[in-house]
Amino acid sequence: QLQLVESGGGLVQPGGSLRLSCAASGFTLDYYDIAWFRQTPGKEREGVSCISSTDGRTYYDDSVKGRFTISRDNAKNTGYLQMNSLEPEDTGVYYCAALLARLAGCSYYLRSNAEYDYWGQGTQVTVSS
């Protein structure tokens, strides 16, 4: 079965950290850009970060820049999103997605609402005291 499975969400206090994982099964992530999106209450789904399959370049939305770090381990067929200094505004459902590498950088597709090839089921992140 071809799928992405997220894990690592949970409840954390403001200022805390979480590490989300995105494990692929049935296909190899080597040739795919990995992206993280989030759906926060009252807002449309937004692209948070992405990492290119070809050169490892990364992109971050301004709202998370300096706090979140995206990475990938192709040997484990898994992507990650390390989230530090979490704020209540980061609360939401986080989804990972994979897009077969194309000519433009991953940020182009993240910001242009491209159709990703695979989506995970989402993992809830709640930042609250």
Side-chain angles (χ1 to χ4, degrees):
Q1 188 175 2
L2 308 177
Q3 62 179 355
L4 293 173
V5 178
E6 299 105 335
S7 61
L11 173 64
V12 63
Q13 292 186 340
S17 298
L18 285 173
R19 187 195 195 201
L20 305 183
S21 298
C22 172
S25 63
F27 69 102
T28 178
L29 276 175
D30 291 29
Y31 309 111
Y32 289 79
D33 295 344
I34 301 170
W36 288 91
F37 294 81
R38 68 183 177 190
Q39 181 79 55
T40 55
K43 290 187 178 180
E44 294 186 355
R45 187 180 65 196
E46 61 177 343
V48 172
S49 180
C50 65
I51 183 168
S52 170
S53 66
T54 53
D55 56 13
R57 287 188 181 183
T58 59
Y59 166 84
Y60 300 94
D61 184 79
D62 285 345
S63 63
V64 305
K65 199 173 295 183
R67 301 187 297 122
F68 290 12
T69 303
I70 191 171
S71 62
R72 63 191 299 155
D73 186 338
N74 288 343
K76 294 183 178 180
N77 217 23
T78 300
Y80 303 96
L81 185 68
Q82 177 67 44
M83 306 186 296
N84 298 330
S85 302
L86 283 162
E87 304 167 351
E89 293 74 22
D90 296 316
T91 294
V93 180
Y94 284 70
Y95 300 89
C96 67
L99 179 70
L100 192 63
R102 300 180 187 179
L103 291 177
C106 72
S107 63
Y108 172 82
Y109 302 106
L110 185 77
R111 293 183 292 178
S112 65
N113 202 29
E115 288 194 18
Y116 281 72
D117 299 297
Y118 300 100
W119 286 89
Q121 82 287 355
T123 185
Q124 176 71 43
V125 171
T126 303
V127 185
S128 175
S129 55

